[in-house]
Amino acid sequence: MWAELLPMGRSSASGGYRRYAWTGADADCRTWFQEQAEARGLAYETDRNGNQWAWLGDPAAGNAVVTGSHLDSVPDGGAFDGPLGVVSAFAALDELRGRGARFTRPLGIVNFGDEEGARFGLACVGSRLTAGALTVEQAHRLTDGDGVTLPRAMEDAGYDPDTLGADPERLARIGAFVELHVEQGRALDLSGDRIGIASAIWPHGRWRFDFRGEANHAGTTRLADRRDPMLPYAETVLAARREAELAGAVATFGKVGVEPNGVNAIPSLVRGWLDSRAADQESLDAVVSGVERAAREHAAAHGADLDVVRESFTPVVEFDHALRDELARILGGATELKVPVLGTGAGHDAGILSGRIPTAMLFVRNPTGVSHSPAESAAEDDCVAGVIALADVLEGLACT
Ligand code: GLV
Ligand code: MN
Ligand code: MN
C-alpha cells in the first residue's frame, strides 16, 4: 500500500507532496482508497461532503467503530501526515482478519477530504461540513488562489456539490472514532516510546493581514514619499515571534502574497497569513491581539491601511476521557507498551469530530519531529508498531 501511494502527487523538484483537494493527485489517492476497500470486500461509499468510507458490517446497525485519517497534503508535505492513518487502518483490518477476530460492531475506514486546507484556506473542510461546523453557505464561498470556488472544483472532479451539508445521521451511527497519525513533534522520540495517545489539541486559527499602500517606482520614489506595505508587514512578522515567545505559544507567517509582485515596484498590497496556536485560549488571544496591535501601529507609521480577517478558528479539544482511558488500558494490557499521553499543536479531523462523537488519537513516533515538509519521517518498525496498536484497539473496541 505504501509503495503504491508514494508516487501520487509527489513533486520531483522538491520531493514533497502536492495533494490538494479535488485535484488530479487527490483523485489518484481517492481511486487508490476505493480499490483498497473493494479488494477487501468492504462496502465503499462517498458521503454528501466527498469523504470516502469503507465498511465492514452494516453501519445502519449503529455504534460503529471508525478509524482513518486523510490523504491530502500541505504544499510540499511529507508522506506520513494523513496517509499513515489511512494505510494503518487497512493494515490493522488485515491484521485482525489474520487473527481471526470476530466483529461485534460495524467497522468503518474513512478518508476525510481536504484536511489540510492547502487549496481553499480552511482546514478540515470534509469533517467540518459533516459535523455542521461549517455551513453550506460558508463552504460555497471558499475560493482557491486561482478564483475557483469549492463547488466548482468538486464539480470538475466529478462530485455533486449540491449535496454538501451537515450529516448528523452518519455521525449518529458512529460510537467511536480513532485516528492514527504520525507525531508532529519529538515527544515520543525524547521519551523513547513508539506510540502515544492524544490528550488534547491546542486552540488554533488562521488570520489574514492585508496591508495596503501605494504602488510606485522602486528607483524614482523618494523613501520619504513611499507608502510601502512591506515595511509594516515585516515588523508584524517580527512582532508575531515576540508575542509567541512571551506567551509560550507559537505564531507563524508561512504564506504571503504581494501585488503587483514586481522586483522594481513598491507593492500596493502585502497579504500575510498568521497561523497561531497555544495551550490555552487566553494565551492565544494574547498573541493574536498583540500581533494585531503591532500591525496597526506599524501600518499607521508607514501610511498603510490594514484589514485583519479571522479565516478559521478551532477551540481547544480535550479528547474523550473514557475512550482515552480505554485505549490506554487496551494498549497497556495487550502489548505491555508504555503509552504516554500527549497534547499537540496540530489540527486533525478527530478534533473537529470530538465535539460530536467519542474520539481518540494514536501517535506514531517521528524521529526528527519534522512535519509539513518533505523531510517528515517515521521508521518502518514504528509504523508496524502503530498498526499493531491500532489493531489491538479496534479488537478491544469492536470484537468479541
Ligand atoms: C494541520 O495539519 C494543521 O495542524 O495545520
Ligand atoms: Mn497536517
Ligand atoms: Mn494530518
Side-chain angles (χ1 to χ4, degrees), residues 3-227:
E4 279 171 20
L5 271 177
L6 280 183
M8 292 178 193
R10 185 169 185 269
S11 156
S12 52
S14 68
Y17 289 91
R18 299 177 182 175
R19 295 169 175 160
Y20 310 140
W22 308 113
T23 61
D26 190 38
D28 290 346
C29 293
R30 287 170 168 276
T31 301
W32 173 88
F33 183 95
Q34 181 170 356
E35 287 168 1
Q36 294 303 318
E38 289 169 355
R40 288 170 176 78
L42 306 176
Y44 170 79
E45 60 169 341
T46 305
D47 71 18
R48 54 187 299 180
N49 297 309
N51 307 306
Q52 296 181 292
W53 300 79
W55 290 104
L56 178 70
D58 182 2
N63 202 23
V65 175
V66 174
T67 186
S69 190
H70 62 97
L71 293 173
D72 69 317
S73 79
V74 294
D76 285 334
F80 296 82
D81 176 359
L84 186 64
V86 179
V87 168
S88 298
F90 284 118
L93 171 61
D94 296 346
E95 163 73 15
L96 288 176
R97 282 177 159 166
R99 293 180 191 176
R102 289 156 47 98
F103 286 85
T104 54
R105 296 167 71 174
L107 177 74
I109 296 177
V110 63
N111 167 32
F112 281 111
D114 199 1
E115 193 271 353
E116 297 287 8
R119 180 167 178 192
F120 297 102
L122 178 67
C124 301
V125 169
S127 58
R128 277 186 209 272
L129 277 164
T130 301
L134 174 69
T135 66
V136 181
E137 295 69 33
Q138 288 168 329
H140 279 208
R141 283 200 295 274
L142 292 175
T143 307
D144 73 8
D146 295 325
V148 179
T149 63
L150 173 68
R152 180 64 205 273
M154 286 184 79
E155 214 165 347
D156 289 350
Y159 287 83
D160 179 4
D162 291 340
T163 63
L164 291 179
D167 206 344
E169 295 84 11
R170 176 170 297 274
L171 292 182
R173 294 172 168 186
I174 303 174
F177 175 57
V178 181
E179 179 171 359
L180 177 146
H181 205 280
V182 68
E183 199 202 343
Q184 296 170 289
R186 287 191 56 212
L188 294 173
D189 180 51
L190 294 172
S191 68
D193 297 294
R194 292 180 189 278
I195 308 295
I197 298 175
S199 56
I201 298 181
W202 287 12
H204 57 282
R206 299 177 181 187
W207 290 261
R208 198 184 77 223
F209 285 63
D210 288 350
F211 297 90
R212 289 175 205 280
E214 186 178 42
N216 211 331
H217 197 293
T220 60
T221 315
R222 295 186 328 143
L223 292 179
D225 293 339
R226 298 181 180 206
R227 289 176 53 222

